[in-house]
């Protein structure tokens, strides 16, 4: 696991955007895995800016989103479909027909999850999976106790996660109880995992995921088993890392060819 600590979320997001942009330039038919939440917003703003100002071209790409709420129509303002169109898809040239987001209204959810897995395989697998992390350590919507080898499936949200989503739905009671999420096994097959976390409230989850034991109780800890997992975090999210000084030293002393 590579842990890159930046002074703030903005600089961390710009660094993450450079990592994504490099793949987009080097591999015009790359497959990107997108996440939602507040964390990736500055990264998406940077990618939109690179598209507008530098001509970063998404026209050959395919994308897969991590998750979606069950029972929420795509047009609902708090659906992840709406989020993605509002924050990135309307502003880049990624073709609509190659955008994939789990279908929260599927009549046969297990079948649609199998189809989603198949679509990822047919696209050649995900090159970079962007991830955030929940305060309880979840990635995607793989809540604590999720199987470390799980595939795309329906999950029940924990109370903590529903509480955190309450504002978007106008109250906890209106937050859906179920979601469809890529599994931890699905995420682990991505060629690169790029996890972003900002702010003091993420510090415990970051430390447990990066330095704690690998356990289903902290789903993000499975990334310790990934050959190319990069954590890009700000100083506040790094507050509980016991080896923070070492990670900073490593970043500062990288040879030029290894810099992002
Ligand atoms: C949701 C999403 C996750 C995201 C998490 C953290 O649960 N399904 O993909 O990482 O929220 O959200 P935020 O970035 O807003 O803290």
């Amino acid at each position: 696991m590579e842990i890159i600590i930046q002074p703030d979320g903005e600089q961390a997001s710009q660094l993450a955007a450079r990592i994504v942009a490099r793949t987009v330039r080097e591999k015009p038919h790359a497959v990107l895995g997108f996440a939602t939440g507040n964390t990736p917003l500055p990264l998406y703003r940077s990618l939109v800016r690179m598209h507008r100002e530098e001509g970063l071209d998404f026209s050959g790409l395919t994308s897969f989103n991590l998750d979606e709420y069950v029972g929420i129509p795509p047009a609902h303002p708090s659906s992840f479909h709406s989020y993605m169109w509002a924050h990135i898809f309307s502003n880049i040239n990624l073709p609509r027909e190659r955008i994939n987001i789990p279908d929260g209204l599927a009549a046969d959810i297990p079948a649609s999850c199998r189809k989603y897995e198949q679509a990822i395989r047919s696209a050649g697998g995900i090159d970079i999976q962007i991830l955030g992390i929940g305060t309880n350590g979840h990635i995607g919507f793989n809540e604590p106790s999720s199987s470390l080898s799980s595939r795309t499936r329906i999950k029940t949200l924990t109370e903590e996660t529903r509480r955190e989503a309450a504002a978007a739905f106008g109250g906890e009671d209106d937050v859906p109880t179920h979601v469809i999420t890529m599994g931890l096994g699905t995420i682990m097959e991505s060629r690169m995992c790029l996890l972003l976390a900002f702010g003091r409230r993420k510090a415990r989850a970051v430390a447990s995921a990066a330095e704690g034991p690998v356990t289903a109780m902290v789903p993000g800890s499975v990334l310790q088993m990934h050959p190319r997992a990069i954590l890009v975090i700000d100083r506040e999210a790094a507050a509980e890392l016991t080896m923070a000084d070492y990670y900073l030293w490593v970043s500062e002393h990288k040879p030029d060819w290894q810099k992002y």
Side-chain angles (χ1 to χ4, degrees):
M1 207 180 246
E2 182 176 6
I3 301 176
I4 305 175
I5 304 170
Q6 292 287 291
D8 55 45
E10 194 51 47
Q11 288 180 63
S13 301
Q14 283 172 21
L15 189 145
R18 289 200 294 279
I19 295 175
V20 175
R22 180 189 287 182
T23 295
V24 172
R25 287 195 189 97
E26 285 174 358
K27 193 172 174 186
H29 298 291
V31 179
L32 295 184
F34 284 117
T36 53
N38 290 317
T39 308
L41 289 175
L43 161 64
Y44 296 159
R45 277 197 291 275
S46 293
L47 292 175
V48 168
R49 190 189 45 73
M50 288 170 152
H51 170 64
R52 287 198 180 133
E53 294 173 11
E54 300 164 25
L56 188 66
D57 183 13
F58 294 84
S59 64
L61 266 60
T62 299
S63 75
F64 288 90
N65 260 77
L66 280 170
D67 43 19
E68 181 56 287
Y69 293 104
V70 168
I72 295 291
H76 187 287
S78 298
S79 74
F80 290 159
H81 279 74
S82 295
Y83 169 104
M84 290 305 294
W85 283 95
H87 297 297
I88 183 162
F89 292 155
S90 300
N91 303 313
I92 58 173
N93 63 337
L94 179 55
R96 181 181 282 264
E97 64 277 13
R98 288 205 300 278
I99 289 173
N100 299 279
I101 304 178
D103 178 5
L105 292 183
D108 183 343
I109 290 179
S112 93
C113 292
R114 281 194 298 276
K115 237 175 95 186
Y116 204 68
E117 290 277 331
Q118 184 51 49
I120 296 173
R121 274 194 297 276
S122 305
I126 295 170
D127 289 293
I128 302 186
Q129 177 61 57
I130 297 161
L131 297 164
I133 189 163
T135 51
N136 65 2
H138 74 225
I139 55 174
F141 265 137
N142 294 282
E143 296 281 36
S145 82
S146 288
S147 156
L148 299 183
S149 57
S150 48
R151 313 304 308 190
T152 302
R153 69 210 183 293
I154 190 166
K155 282 293 290 181
T156 309
L157 294 180
T158 59
E159 242 184 278
E160 180 174 349
T161 300
R162 292 183 68 230
R163 221 174 10 250
E164 293 196 344
F169 286 91
E172 200 179 320
D173 289 347
D174 292 324
V175 179
T177 48
H178 290 83
V179 292
I180 295 172
T181 180
M182 269 188 213
L184 295 171
T186 321
I187 292 168
M188 287 293 283
E189 282 172 7
S190 308
R191 283 181 272 281
M192 179 196 287
C193 287
L194 185 59
L195 187 143
L196 307 177
F198 311 136
R200 188 66 183 81
R201 54 188 282 275
K202 295 293 174 75
R204 186 178 48 92
V206 165
S208 310
E211 295 181 338
V214 175
T215 166
M217 292 310 286
V218 182
S221 67
V222 73
L223 296 176
Q224 292 178 37
M225 311 279 289
H226 194 284
R228 189 116 179 76
I230 306 179
L231 263 61
V232 186
I233 60 180
D234 66 1
R235 273 199 227 285
E236 290 182 6
E240 292 189 28
L241 288 169
T242 57
M243 288 182 62
D245 289 344
Y246 169 74
Y247 309 137
L248 280 165
W249 195 93
V250 170
S251 294
E252 278 159 18
H253 293 82
K254 263 183 178 233
D256 278 346
W257 61 269
Q258 250 189 5
K259 286 185 180 149
Y260 297 111

